[in-house]
Amino acid sequence: MYAGDYDLFLSQKAKPMNALINRIRHYSTTESEDFEGLAKLPHRLEVYEPHADIVVEGDKIDHVFIVEDGWAIRFRILDDGRRQIVNFMLPGDCFDLMSLNGAKSDHNVAAATKVTLRKIKSKDFLSAISENLRLSTSFWWAAVQEEGILREQIVRVGRRSAKERVGHMILELNRRVAATSGQIDNYLPLPVPQSMLADALGLSDVHISRTLSFLRTFGYIRNSRHGIEILDREGLAEMSDFDSRYLHFEKLAIDVN
Amino acid sequence: MYAGDYDLFLSQKAKPMNALINRIRHYSTTESEDFEGLAKLPHRLEVYEPHADIVVEGDKIDHVFIVEDGWAIRFRILDDGRRQIVNFMLPGDCFDLMSLNGAKSDHNVAAATKVTLRKIKSKDFLSAISENLRLSTSFWWAAVQEEGILREQIVRVGRRSAKERVGHMILELNRRVAATSGQIDNYLPLPVPQSMLADALGLSDVHISRTLSFLRTFGYIRNSRHGIEILDREGLAEMSDFDSRYLHFEKLAIDVN
DNA sequence: CGCGGGTTTGAATGAGTTCAATCACGGTGG
DNA sequence: CCACCGTGATTGAACTCATTCAAACCCGCG
């Protein structure tokens, strides 16, 4: 339950961090070479089965994680079992970047699907990025973007209706997948059950099902157990008040001074 | 409406940043002297009247802000006027720490009460903290704590009932005020109208009023227009599932390597 | 000045409505 | 076979609308 697959220990002949590199290159001018120093660091590639814990509340945070493949969730469980998923973590996302040695996690992270993670000691990570300005700026940018996603999540669960929440989340996930794949695709693979969307959006699983029916009958989407096809992106965006600038591809004019 | 009071320009004989220093000293081993370099930087103290805009969506982010006095809010407005307050910013809080030159704000910041802010150019700020490890660790810690507050806000609006939300928020604000004042006080000054609590908690102002009535008749609190007295902290904490470790005073075992 | 009336802003509370939760059961696909 | 999804029926928490009340604020006038 707890541990990942520790068999894959790589240090020299590391595979490139494709997902992360792709994502970052769509936004900034960082080059793949910038990641070489990072890839040469001692680190582990770990594979977690669905539902496996990755970080448990109270764990000491001394590693930085990069999602290579699969989806992970960050969540809290309330005393009576209610669960709130704070956010989904997709390939190319990093987390626990802002660790402080000695700090403990205030939430859980678990594998939503089968997940492959790259795990680097915070100490090694910090010294590696401090040697490369483009690299450190890239991770800084990743942390800024993640904070923006958290804020959007607050607005979504705080002030949007169920229909808006679901529509908005579909479009956000679609954009985030696009950020690593390199292109917007009208098909969004959704490898998690509806109950996970429910726990992310503060709704019941029954109501997620009903809301998807609504989106279907209105012709916004078509969906199966494995994913969602966006049929009317314009209409869906308008219905759910999705800001077209949110998470938009746009190279940052990063001033490195 | 837009501009603050630009009259107060200080650079050499700066007043100490009391609120921030107090807050940080309760958590870490930073000394007041560490802040001297920062206080000597060119910066402005600006005063904003209630409801005045501080940062507007789309503004270029090139300053770091420190709240000296009063409360500010960070929020987004939806097309039809619904407002979600992402978080409150209290004396001692800092924001826009994680700016990237060239980035634009995706949300608004406004004065909730009369607010005094210290405003430092990001560039100056970054070069100042990079010269002092204890200082940079302190701000790093502040950013980590703020992220924790955002996550807690997601859980609150996503999965807690109205009663829990209000109770939980009261206890959080009480702790945050305590972090700068230095001691837990059973009286929480609440200088904002109930409608602001409503917009922070994703509820209607009417329901905030009803919920406070409930908390009153149950003997948890007593409240006036200006603040809330916590009569039964234990009971309130249990009712609202407030984790006693959340935001607790506790010097971080910060490993500065 | 300071006092009183008019206006504004905020809070409490009742009545009726609505959106989403819960309960329940049947279907389906891996 | 079991986790997941769909859909009907019922319940409930929070919303809206509407009104009253209270406090704060303004401002001119004695």
Side-chain angles (χ1 to χ4, degrees), chain A residues 214-233:
Chain A
F214 166 86
L215 296 179
R216 241 182 281 125
T217 57
F218 257 69
Y220 291 129
I221 63 165
R222 191 156 46 188
N223 72 319
S224 73
R225 194 167 284 229
H226 309 292
I228 294 176
E229 190 185 350
I230 298 170
L231 298 174
D232 177 7
R233 182 180 297 273

Side-chain angles (χ1 to χ4, degrees), chain B residues 102-121:
Chain B
K104 288 184 176 147
S105 181
D106 59 357
H107 57 270
N108 301 47
V109 178
T113 66
K114 185 168 181 167
V115 171
T116 308
L117 292 182
R118 192 174 295 260
K119 198 173 167 184
I120 308 172
K121 279 215 159 54

Side-chain angles (χ1 to χ4, degrees), chain A residues 82-83 159 164 199 203, chain B residues 82 159 164 199 203:
Chain A
R82 284 173 291 179
R83 176 174 72 167
R159 279 290 181 228
E164 292 169 325
D199 284 341
L203 297 166
Chain B
R82 283 172 291 179
R159 279 290 181 226
E164 292 169 325
D199 284 341
L203 297 166

Side-chain angles (χ1 to χ4, degrees), chain B residues 2 21 29 32 35 63 65 100-102 140 186 190 242:
Chain B
Y2 226 106
I21 293 174
T29 55
S32 329
F35 289 89
H63 287 267
F65 296 85
L100 277 171
N101 276 337
W140 191 256
N186 282 332
L190 206 72
F242 188 86

Side-chain angles (χ1 to χ4, degrees), chain A residues 111-136:
Chain A
T113 65
K114 184 167 182 169
V115 171
T116 308
L117 292 181
R118 190 174 300 258
K119 198 174 167 183
I120 307 173
K121 278 213 159 52
S122 304
K123 212 167 143 174
D124 296 337
F125 176 80
L126 288 171
S127 64
I129 65 166
S130 66
E131 285 165 12
N132 181 325
L133 185 57
R134 280 208 297 268
L135 197 58
S136 61

